[in-house]
Amino acid sequence: MEAFISAAVVLALIFIALGFGVWIFSGLLLVAVASLAFVADFSVDRIGVIAKSVMWKSASTWELAAIPLFLWMGEIIFRSDISERLFRGLTPLVEWLPGRLLHTNVMGCTLFAAVSGSTSATTATVGKITTTALAERGYDRSLSLGSLAGAGSLGLLIPPSIIMIIYGVLAEVSIAKLFAAGVIPGLMVAAIFSTYIMIRCVMRPELAPASLGGITLRKLIGAFVDLVPIGILIVAVLGGIYSGIVTPSEAAAVGVFAAIVLTAILRKLTWSVITDSLMAAVRTSCMVCSILVAAAVLATAIGYMHIPDGLTKAIAAMELSPWTLLLLIAALYIVLGLFLDGISIVVMSLPVTLPIMVQAGFDPVWFGVFLVLMVELGQVTPPVGFNLFVLQGITGSNLSTVVYAAFPFFLLMCLAVVIISFAPSIVLYLPDLLVK
Amino acid sequence: MRHFLSLVDLLTRAGAIMAAVIVAAMVGHILLEIVLRAVFDSSTYVLDEFVGYGVAASTFLGLGYTLEQGGLIRVNILLARIRSRAMRQLTEVTCVAACFGVFAMVWLYFWSSISRNWTRGAVSETVAQVPLWIPEGLLLLGLSIFLLQLVAYAIRIVSGEPMIGERGPVAAAE
Amino acid sequence: QTYVWDMPNEYPATSVQGEGDRHFAELLKTKSQGDIKIVHHFGASLGFRSKDQLDAVADGAVVIANTFVPPLGGINPIFVLSSLPFLVSNASEAYMLYEVARPYYDKELARYNQKLLYASPWPASGLWGSRTYDKPEAVKGLKMRTYDPNGTLVFKAAGAAPVQLSWADIVPQLTTGGIEGVLTSIESGLSASFNDYAKHFTALNYDTTINMVTMNLDTWNKLPAAGQKAVLDAAKETELFLWGNIDKVIQRNYDTAAKRGVTIAEKVDPAFRRYLQEQAEPVIAAWVKRAGKDGEALIAEYRQRQKVATTVAANGSAN
Ligand code: NA
Ligand code: NA
């Protein structure tokens, strides 16, 4: 009961602080400090050392480097010829597809997911390259923002994925199996998103601009030529990782390097391209990373208030049938996802939820994929939804616009959760096949 | 007063440039590590340590600049609804004050941690043995610039200059 | 009066450290008649890593913590002691080293405003890889991941090519063949399922590191005598249990590993181990220099006791 009240108080504080218009990172920090002071009754000194320690720890994390570096890569691509060529090249290829270039968000994020396990980096990089181009061509803004918010978290499900490694260690499940298990559900979510875009665009053709006319062989050849630069970039980064020369955490630096070299080859490289892209990357990265750091302090405060512990233990005490249990656990994760980041959700809840789920007969590999999907849902729910923040930052839209745009995709991800619950073999087929 | 404001602007610019240089250096360090490992069977042995320091330093050194450029996001529900400019100014100053308060507190505890690490002579347990006050000190420098920028912004609001949202399209959404 | 103490631990609830924490919490609850309750925060879920926890306990951010101490070596060299390469060769020698060092640990930790309750060992580290590494030639040019500067120095001297990698990159690098070997314990290798890619574990007994469970000194001093007694008794009992149990834990890990198809080389050729020990000597000497008089006295006493124990054992087997 105490955990429920604390959770409600924290949520209310977040709504008040953010609603008042405080910058989001300082708002989250304020809520963390206030709830430690008033709910947990800690002294100012104790709160101060906690905040300092957690901020330093979360800011000086090597994995976080993917954010500024991929952002820089995205900004270079945005400022060079590469993105223009990408869209010019794709246009004739997707002519037949309802929604045409709107699918670039989903496709781009899926591809990026094979490189990066950071949702913020994925959303920001792909978004930087696509949103302006799509808006200029007259594609529906809401559908573009929403698909980006939804597909931006595919990186958690499609390997490499740090959150899966963490789950694997905590749950003592083979990481190779988890990586294999994420692939089909990841592609399935992407397919659901694309199908939704197609249906919307068939029902309301004005969501996409008018077609530019038929496809000729000449156009197709031109298209492939235009796609060469981005193709080289993708091969360089993916090839680096899958040959073992580059680790996933290092891939972003290779991306920056390749983008600079390609821009130079295309004769678009100037000093101002480098400095402008770098300064823009610094701005977005400061915004994203400062929010992540503040959210880490908030997560610690929530841990001190024993909220995840209390909520999970309340469910564990109920002795439910497997399906009711699953439903409640899903609801629990949606609640935790309102105000916690993904890794915090996993590490805070797992010691209690995993044993009860396994005891109820759920496969731990399946539960890992289920959990990652629940974490992805949390990325697009307010008040603390990192994909929403990133999209607000890179597009300048209001948070409410982004939330509204992301909502259908939130529902589609819920649909994906329902599908894997009724057909667990979607998750378990590949790991059983590949990993002995 | 004008001297103070231009000094803050200068510091903010310097912080932004440092942040940018650090990001570029991180790319350089990672590429160096890849080459060392792949070609020379060697390593710098400090990659995750240094890049970690780099992320922390660049995030905070660039914070003042990001604030000034309108790159820090917020929920605009309230500000967009207040008609009276005086009330908007008041709300904005309250936001600045709240932000200043909480980060001033954090500043104090970073300061005490840094001075403790200085007196202890604490170093990182790696090949590089970096004195711990240095990376935390860079973060503190960034926080200081950010706090000064908040003060400068409050002064600008009170003296009637346009607020961040009123300066036309935000820089980050170019 | 009742107490609720938050206790962070970087490692999973199911790890040997997590088991130890829960054992301690149960004992403490019983011995304090339910007055002292521990709330566990496993997997670094409270936002502190081991290297943050020395200060977290000192400043009272948490009352009690389970901390992996070697990364704190830059603050005080004493914390590196248990991770010195090839200084101890099994759990009982590790306990001997701990007994010798305990007064020093107590003294040094008091400077950081905390009290050492008990130390909890990890299974010894060895080499995970695609082969058994049983002679000097086997480690020549081996691309492997080490976890601290000492390991890097020792294996470099032994002719291997140690690289530094972040923890999350190990599995992807093993998959793609970027590295072949990983220096770590049987337990942590299993928990990160290295066995999917590395089918051999060579029990080099490189080190037997310890975690320390410490509590804030101010809280300790304010605790009534009965509470202090409960804490000390629970700590002592937990410590005896953990050190007495470590060989069983290792055996359990070996069984699990064997079930997952891992070949375990339990006995390492003494000549090979001596070779590695020789590479480690300069590293140990450098540590003694860093640690000053205390370090010198400590190592000397440990080596003296080790010699006695070895002689006794040799005589025993001769009879
Ligand atoms: Na990924
Ligand atoms: Na959320």
Side-chain angles (χ1 to χ4, degrees), chain A residues 334 336-340 377-386 388:
Chain A
I334 287 181
L336 292 180
L338 297 178
F339 45 62
L340 283 175
L377 283 172
Q379 301 287 326
V380 296
T381 54
V384 182
F386 294 98
L388 306 175

Side-chain angles (χ1 to χ4, degrees), chain A residues 112-118 122 154-162:
Chain A
F112 206 84
V115 175
S116 165
S118 158
T122 307
L154 282 174
L156 301 178
L157 211 50
I158 294 172
S161 159
I162 289 175

Side-chain angles (χ1 to χ4, degrees), chain B residues 26-48:
Chain B
M26 293 188 322
V27 174
H29 189 169
I30 295 175
L31 294 175
L32 174 68
E33 177 78 20
I34 295 170
V35 171
L36 280 179
R37 195 174 54 224
V39 184
F40 301 99
D41 269 356
S42 183
S43 171
T44 63
Y45 301 109
V46 288
L47 181 66
D48 55 359

Side-chain angles (χ1 to χ4, degrees), chain B:
Chain B
M1 194 58 84
R2 199 172 310 136
H3 289 304
F4 172 74
L5 291 182
S6 42
L7 177 71
V8 172
D9 280 345
L10 196 71
L11 283 171
T12 304
R13 193 124 282 271
I17 291 170
M18 281 168 79
V21 169
I22 289 170
V23 170
M26 293 188 322
V27 174
H29 189 169
I30 295 175
L31 294 175
L32 174 68
E33 177 78 20
I34 295 170
V35 171
L36 280 179
R37 195 174 54 224
V39 184
F40 301 99
D41 269 356
S42 183
S43 171
T44 63
Y45 301 109
V46 288
L47 181 66
D48 55 359
E49 180 191 4
F50 277 30
V51 171
Y53 297 153
V55 184
S58 67
T59 299
F60 282 84
L61 283 168
L63 209 51
Y65 165 72
T66 310
L67 170 81
E68 187 232 278
Q69 297 277 307
L72 293 176
I73 60 166
R74 61 207 298 194
V75 182
N76 281 320
I77 299 174
L78 188 65
L79 274 175
R81 258 158 234 212
I82 302 176
R83 289 283 158 78
S84 133
R85 185 172 157 82
M87 278 305 287
R88 275 216 307 278
Q89 284 170 315
L90 184 65
T91 314
E92 189 73 341
V93 172
T94 315
C95 288
V96 172
C99 189
F100 185 90
V102 74
F103 278 96
M105 168 182 167
V106 168
W107 191 97
L108 281 176
Y109 286 91
F110 264 101
W111 174 255
S112 73
S113 162
I114 289 164
S115 40
R116 176 161 65 186
N117 280 330
W118 169 276
T119 35
R120 271 183 191 169
V123 298
S124 64
E125 183 54 17
T126 60
V127 178
Q129 302 208 336
V130 177
L132 292 179
W133 65 268
I134 295 177
E136 288 192 16
L138 284 173
L139 193 153
L140 188 79
L141 178 63
L143 261 184
S144 312
I145 294 174
F146 177 63
L147 289 173
L148 285 173
Q149 184 64 47
L150 281 175
V151 174
Y153 181 44
I155 293 172
R156 289 193 166 119
I157 301 168
V158 173
S159 59
E161 280 184 49
M163 289 182 267
I164 285 172
E166 298 169 339
R167 291 181 204 151
V170 285
E174 55 207 331

